[in-house]
Amino acid sequence: MSSLLPPCPEPEEKIGEPQQLIQLGAAGDEPCLRADAARNRARLLDAAARLIAEHGAAGVTMEAVAAAANVGKGTVFRRFGDRTGLLMALLDHAEQKMQAAFLGGPPPLGPGAPPVERLRAFGIALLRRLAGELDLQLAAEAAADRRYAVPARRVQHSHVVLLLRQTLPHADHELLAHTLMGYLNPVLVHHLTRQCGVPMARLENGWNDLVDRITAA
């Protein structure tokens, strides 16, 4: 199968070497915050987390977070840019844990297992994570023109491309990776689990079946 897409950045995964974790936030975020800025950021995120616990993701607005944290609304906007940036910051910690697990954690999710086993484990781990934070994932879902440029999604896609390249050296890895990642879309998971009542066990079995069918080629 000929390559139809320009190559995506590869994670350059190497066993034993540390990997840089990609954050969900905007590229302009400071890598190291001053102590007072870090405290203010943590305070705002704590307030946002409380609002989600009490009212769901729909209850998280910039105004509500500012009131809950007892700061001016402008402070929240300066720290996170907009509501999507705030929600992305809430998801950032979970994303970094996920990346640490598949880039350098124990197998089968991390290095050391055959690529097909790692691909199965990656999908199961991401499905379970999505199910646990589905409201927040949906609220933070980027607009259609930015959805595939979100750094975390690009890293996940590149990871799947790498595993497919190791399994099917002559396939169109990037298109197949998009097919697999489509199964792990939070909008689809919401539709299947909450609107159609599909149990998670069936979704997980379906992922493994899809991986097996694609890699059997």
Side-chain angles (χ1 to χ4, degrees):
M1 186 182 300
S2 61
S3 176
L4 301 178
L5 295 178
C8 291
E10 298 179 22
E12 296 294 334
E13 182 176 336
K14 296 180 182 178
I15 297 175
E17 295 187 8
Q19 302 290 333
Q20 181 179 4
L21 302 186
I22 305 298
Q23 293 187 346
L24 287 165
D29 285 352
E30 306 95 321
C32 296
L33 298 176
R34 301 189 316 273
D36 57 342
R39 284 193 297 271
N40 287 338
R41 187 176 190 274
R43 180 181 174 187
L44 291 169
L45 290 176
D46 285 344
R50 289 197 305 272
L51 287 172
I52 289 178
E54 295 170 3
H55 308 290
V60 179
T61 65
M62 305 298 267
E63 294 80 1
V65 171
N70 198 27
V71 300
K73 183 172 66 173
T75 300
V76 187
F77 278 98
R78 284 192 298 272
R79 178 67 268 157
F80 302 106
D82 56 17
R83 183 174 182 272
T84 297
L86 172 63
L87 296 174
M88 286 293 191
L90 284 168
L91 287 169
D92 187 69
H93 180 63
E95 177 59 31
Q96 290 196 48
K97 287 177 62 179
M98 177 82 182
Q99 289 180 20
F102 70 69
L103 288 173
L109 183 56
V116 173
E117 290 185 21
R118 296 191 64 196
L119 198 52
R120 293 193 197 102
F122 171 79
I124 298 300
L126 189 50
L127 281 171
R128 292 176 179 175
R129 177 188 162 197
L130 291 176
E133 56 188 27
L134 196 49
D135 288 339
L136 185 54
Q137 287 278 350
L138 291 176
E141 185 77 357
D145 61 340
R146 295 190 296 127
R147 190 165 298 155
Y148 296 97
V150 172
R153 188 164 298 186
R154 291 177 61 192
V155 170
Q156 293 168 3
H157 177 268
S158 295
H159 179 64
V160 173
V161 168
L162 176 66
L163 296 179
L164 288 171
R165 184 176 290 119
Q166 294 171 350
T167 307
L168 302 169
H170 303 297
D172 191 329
H173 313 104
E174 292 173 15
L175 284 182
L176 288 179
H178 278 297
T179 298
L180 287 167
M181 289 300 298
Y183 191 97
L184 306 173
N185 186 292
V187 176
L188 178 61
V189 173
H190 173 268
H191 170 68
L192 292 175
T193 58
R194 297 193 180 176
Q195 296 178 330
C196 299
V198 176
M200 280 301 298
R202 183 179 171 190
L203 281 188
E204 293 176 10
N205 289 337
W207 168 259
N208 287 334
D209 181 55
L210 179 60
V211 169
D212 291 346
R213 289 174 185 274
I214 286 179
T215 58

